């Protein structure tokens, strides 16, 4: 991580150190138990490959990507590296704009510290909630290989924490999680254009960002005021899950258009993973029905009022809707057109569903056709 310093508008090293200081400790396990969990997750990741690829009928062409079992600090380091990679073009534009302002270099140094702390606090909060993640854009490093090909992260302490909280069979739950995350790995290895398409959309979104520092700061200030609970009704909205998120408040109209397309794609990917994990589950995970019922209830309720407010603030509730709406889309299309018909979705960017089609799968079928690709 020593290479993550420099003159960026975010002090990435400070983000890592801040997140590491504030993240919650993981569940108590002995050294032997920790080794056993890591070994089992690796075995399940390997076993999941065959189950997922047979069920989805997707051909990865022998392409493989790393599977890494990490702890919470490891997840933070990986995501900081990924953020820096994706945001690099935007950071370069903002550095150029700031350099033209008198005293801009000093402002950049000071602002990067503040932003580094904020990013670190956010990652510290999220680090205890992510069970697994397919990193599509992460650069390689000595501790986290896999540049340009993606890599699968399984966050061992979080998986153990949730299986204990839900009181479910550890072996079954670990395999169930691996089935979901392996589906994401299969999506990107079997559909080579998908990574480039997502990167293009993300960079288009970032290109629309207002790079004038004063305007950006003012927009973020308004967002903080709106989300800071200045009035009792605003705080109540946050706790109920109503009102805007940070992402909602800083978008331009053009960014909203791009985000609608990205939301549709992410709904497809997340819903497909949920559909696959439950479709494969009955054959290999004996207690899948119990796990799904308890896990869905946990997703919907959160850990408490503060957790629900933070989920809304950070836009995490939108991700929960992606699981639900995307899974319904996939299930409807597979029921109507079969798995081969559904797999037409992976033909090209033009066959991806729109946000409207995610809610109305029959419109996607009418547009693309029910037959196999």
């Amino acid at each position: 991580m020593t290479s993550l310093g420099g003159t960026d508008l975010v002090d990435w090293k400070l983000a890592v150190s801040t997140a590491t200081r504030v993240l919650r400790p993981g569940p108590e396990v002995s050294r032997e138990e920790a080794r056993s969990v890591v070994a089992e997750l690796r075995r399940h990741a390997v076993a999941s490959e065959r189950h997922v690829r047979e069920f989805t009928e997707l051909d990865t062409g022998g392409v493989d990507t790393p599977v890494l079992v990490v702890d919470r600090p490891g997840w933070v380091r990986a995501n900081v590296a990924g953020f820096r990679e994706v945001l690099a073009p935007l950071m370069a534009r903002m550095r150029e704009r700031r350099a033209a302002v008198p005293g801009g270099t000093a402002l950049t140094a000071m602002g990067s510290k503040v932003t580094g702390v904020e990013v670190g606090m956010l990652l510290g909060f999220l680090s205890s909630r992510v069970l697994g993640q397919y990193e599509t854009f992460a650069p390689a490093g000595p501790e986290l290989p896999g540049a340009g090909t993606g890599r699968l992260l399984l966050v061992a302490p979080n998986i153990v924490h949730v299986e204990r909280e839900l009181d479910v069979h550890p072996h079954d739950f670990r395999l169930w999680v691996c089935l979901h995350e392996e589906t994401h790995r299969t999506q990107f290895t079997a559909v080579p254009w998908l990574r480039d398409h997502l990167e293009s959309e993300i960079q288009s979104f970032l290109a629309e960002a207002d790079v004038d520092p004063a305007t950006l700061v003012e927009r973020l200030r308004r967002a903080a005021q709106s989300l800071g609970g200045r009035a009792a009704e605003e705080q109540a909205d946050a706790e109920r899950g109503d009102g805007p998120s940070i992402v909602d408040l800083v978008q331009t109209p053009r960014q909203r258009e791009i985000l609608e397309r990205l939301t549709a794609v992410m709904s497809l990917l997340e819903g497909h993973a949920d559909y696959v994990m439950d479709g494969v589950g009955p054959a290999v995970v004996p207690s899948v029905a119990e796990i799904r019922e308890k896990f869905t209830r946990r997703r919907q309720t959160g850990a408490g009022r503060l957790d629900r407010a933070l989920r809304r603030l950070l836009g995490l509730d939108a991700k929960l809707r992606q699981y639900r709406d995307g899974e319904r889309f996939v299930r409807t299309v597979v029921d109507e057109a079969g798995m081969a018909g559904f797999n037409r979705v992976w033909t090209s960017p033009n066959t991806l569903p729109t946000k409207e089609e995610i809610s109305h799968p029959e419109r996607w079928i009418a547009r693309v056709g029910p037959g196999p690709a």
Side-chain angles (χ1 to χ4, degrees):
M1 296 302 296
T2 57
S3 64
L4 294 186
T7 59
D8 281 347
L9 296 181
V10 180
D11 188 326
W12 299 109
K13 288 194 289 186
L14 182 57
V16 172
S17 62
T18 299
T20 302
R21 286 197 304 271
V22 303
L23 60 80
R24 299 179 182 179
E28 292 187 8
V29 294
S30 66
R31 183 180 298 273
E32 291 73 20
E33 185 179 2
R35 289 173 176 168
S36 175
V37 170
V38 170
E40 183 174 12
L41 287 172
R42 287 175 176 160
R43 290 195 303 271
H44 286 332
V46 172
S48 295
E49 292 182 32
R50 178 174 59 84
H51 297 312
V52 169
R53 294 170 193 183
E54 287 180 356
F55 183 83
T56 62
E57 302 175 11
L58 290 175
D59 182 9
T60 61
V63 176
D64 206 357
T65 54
V67 177
L68 305 173
V69 181
V70 298
D71 57 10
R72 290 172 180 175
W75 180 86
V76 168
R77 290 193 296 271
N79 276 267
V80 165
F83 281 150
R84 192 183 189 209
E85 183 83 357
V86 172
L87 295 176
L90 177 63
M91 294 293 103
R93 290 166 56 213
M94 294 189 73
R95 278 198 303 271
E96 291 175 3
R97 180 69 64 89
R98 182 61 65 84
V101 177
T105 302
L107 288 172
T108 296
M110 179 174 64
S112 69
K113 300 294 184 184
V114 175
T115 310
V117 170
E118 292 170 344
V119 171
M121 295 290 287
L122 169 62
L123 290 174
F125 169 76
L126 294 175
S127 66
S128 63
R129 285 157 172 77
V130 177
L131 302 183
Q133 172 186 354
Y134 187 77
E135 280 203 295
T136 313
F137 308 110
E143 301 177 23
L144 297 165
T149 59
R151 60 195 178 205
L152 179 60
L153 305 181
L154 297 170
V155 190
N158 295 350
I159 293 173
V160 172
H161 171 77
V162 174
E163 71 191 26
R164 290 178 178 179
E165 179 184 329
L166 298 181
D167 190 24
V168 293
H169 192 287
H171 171 86
D172 286 2
F173 184 74
R174 294 166 194 175
L175 177 55
W176 190 70
V177 170
C178 287
L179 289 170
H180 181 101
E181 303 306 333
E182 175 58 35
T183 302
H184 288 315
R185 188 161 74 126
T186 297
Q187 290 163 348
F188 282 94
T189 52
V191 187
W193 56 262
L194 185 58
R195 179 186 187 276
D196 291 339
H197 173 70
L198 279 179
E199 183 174 23
S200 175
E201 291 282 59
I202 291 170
Q203 292 306 326
S204 295
F205 182 90
L206 294 176
E208 292 292 325
D210 195 330
V211 297
D212 177 66
T215 302
L216 184 61
V217 167
E218 172 61 20
R219 194 175 285 174
L220 290 172
R221 183 187 66 80
R222 293 200 309 268
Q225 288 177 346
S226 298
L227 294 165
R230 290 178 300 170
E233 59 269 23
E234 289 175 341
Q235 184 175 358
D237 283 346
E239 291 173 354
R240 288 195 305 268
D242 300 331
S245 69
I246 287 176
V247 175
D248 296 327
L249 288 166
V250 299
Q251 292 170 33
T252 66
R254 172 62 177 154
Q255 284 178 313
R256 290 189 183 95
E257 294 178 9
I258 299 170
L259 192 62
E260 281 200 359
R261 296 198 297 270
L262 281 169
T263 298
V265 176
M266 298 312 297
S267 296
L268 169 69
L269 299 180
E270 296 293 359
H272 185 231
D274 263 15
Y275 178 82
V276 171
M277 73 194 297
D278 288 342
V280 174
V284 297
V285 182
S287 59
V288 64
E290 177 192 2
I291 291 173
R292 165 54 74 190
E293 190 273 331
K294 290 183 176 180
F295 192 76
T296 299
R297 190 187 318 132
R298 181 181 185 274
R299 268 182 181 172
Q300 293 171 343
T301 60
R305 294 175 63 189
L306 175 60
D307 187 70
R308 289 194 296 272
L310 286 171
R311 286 194 331 193
R312 177 58 198 167
L313 174 73
L314 300 172
L316 299 182
D317 280 347
K319 185 174 179 64
L320 300 182
R321 290 194 295 273
Q322 289 171 9
Y323 287 108
R324 182 191 64 226
D325 297 344
E327 194 277 336
R328 184 171 57 242
F329 171 85
V330 175
R331 176 165 32 85
T332 301
V333 174
V334 172
D335 288 347
E336 178 70 23
M339 187 63 74
F342 166 78
N343 281 341
R344 288 179 64 86
V345 79
W346 311 117
T347 304
S348 75
N350 293 330
T351 57
L352 291 171
T354 64
K355 188 177 179 181
E356 181 183 16
E357 288 170 341
I358 287 289
S359 300
H360 301 279
E362 70 280 359
R363 298 179 185 177
W364 180 87
I365 295 174
R367 178 172 67 88
V368 176

